Amino acid sequence: MKRTLPILLAIGTVTLGLTQSMTAAPANGSFESGSFDGWRLDMARGYSSSNHRYRAAGSATVVSSFGTSPLQSAIAGSKFAILGSLANGNFTGNRTYSISLSQELALTQGDTLTGWSSFFNGDFEAQDSAWVKILDDEGRLVTTPWRENSGCVPEQHFNSTSFHSTTPWTQWSWQAPASGSYTLSLGVTTHDDNNYASYGFFDNIFVIPATLPVPEPSAFSLVAIGAAALAAWRRNRQN
């Protein structure tokens, strides 16, 4: 009985663990690894007239702070991701360039995907934007739960912060309408010459399950067996 009891309890514990919700939480959702582990980084490139070569159209890094006044720090933990357009790119042609992080998630109907984002408006023209997008399993855009734009005239450029200012951390959320595979994409997009840098900040991304996980009947049976074994073991000790 002394050897059987731990085995039964272990089986019950493992079985209960297997019956937890199958929701796939974002890997490295707060970037506390200090890297982009779990994310796919896509970086567009453009031809620079000043450098006479193709260059990355932006930047991507994980930091603990940004700026000086006010200092931007993580909303959770100690690190967050920054995606930015490129200053002094001098790209030729009227083109669009995007820098993005993405990963696929298996969500259950009713699960809520949420996170925090912020934006530094670094271009006086409406050429830059930062965004969060959700795509379906065929790559089609489902929704854009968060977006900010650059520019110096908010009434014309539809931005929520002034030129050379940073928005407060803003929480965005989206509820999965059906179970399936979705792609979460975080990004920055810039148009034309790409001469002034704007930045999108991303942090604390996680999934809120639709319901609390309910153990399978077989799990209850194993727990009951374990409880009975524990009671018998205690009686034997008393005798």
Side-chain angles (χ1 to χ4, degrees):
M1 178 59 72
K2 289 183 179 180
R3 293 182 179 179
T4 304
L5 177 60
I7 295 174
L8 289 172
L9 291 179
I11 292 173
T13 301
V14 171
T15 305
L16 283 173
L18 292 175
T19 61
Q20 297 291 319
S21 169
M22 295 303 291
T23 297
N28 194 23
S30 287
F31 304 97
E32 292 303 299
S33 68
S35 69
F36 294 128
D37 291 343
W39 297 89
R40 172 182 172 179
L41 173 61
D42 290 308
M43 180 79 68
R45 301 178 67 84
Y47 186 79
S48 174
S49 59
S50 59
N51 295 83
H52 303 291
R53 63 183 176 88
Y54 280 93
R55 302 178 61 188
S59 60
T61 186
V62 176
V63 301
S64 56
S65 64
F66 175 86
T68 56
S69 182
L71 180 69
Q72 181 81 320
S73 56
I75 190 70
S78 61
K79 294 180 175 62
F80 59 100
I82 296 183
L83 302 180
S85 57
L86 180 68
N88 302 315
N90 297 309
F91 291 156
T92 59
N94 184 12
R95 297 185 58 189
T96 297
Y97 307 90
S98 292
I99 300 92
S100 67
L101 294 169
S102 62
Q103 65 173 279
E104 293 185 9
L105 300 172
L107 300 178
T108 300
Q109 181 179 7
D111 287 348
T112 298
L113 178 62
T114 186
W116 295 78
S117 298
S118 177
F119 177 67
F120 173 75
N121 178 2
D123 194 335
F124 64 89
E125 295 186 11
Q127 293 183 341
D128 296 339
S129 64
W131 40 263
V132 174
K133 296 179 180 179
I134 311 294
L135 298 89
D136 66 14
D137 58 354
E138 296 184 1
R140 297 172 298 196
L141 179 64
V142 176
T143 187
T144 304
W146 178 83
R147 180 186 175 96
E148 289 285 353
N149 303 300
S150 68
C152 63
V153 184
E155 294 80 6
Q156 296 180 12
H157 299 153
F158 307 103
N159 49 28
S160 61
T161 190
S162 58
F163 178 48
H164 275 182
S165 295
T166 304
T167 67
W169 281 109
T170 301
Q171 187 173 23
W172 53 265
S173 63
W174 170 79
Q175 189 174 66
S179 299
S181 177
Y182 297 91
T183 297
L184 168 64
S185 187
L186 319 172
V188 167
T189 297
T190 186
H191 306 277
D192 300 330
D193 55 10
N194 198 34
N195 279 341
Y196 297 94
S198 297
Y199 299 94
F201 311 127
F202 306 94
D203 195 13
N204 197 31
I205 301 166
F206 59 97
V207 171
I208 303 173
T211 58
L212 293 176
V214 178
E216 297 290 339
S218 58
F220 283 120
S221 299
L222 284 173
V223 172
I225 293 171
L230 177 61
W233 177 70
R234 287 177 176 173
R235 285 197 299 270
N236 289 337
R237 287 194 61 185
Q238 291 173 354
N239 294 334

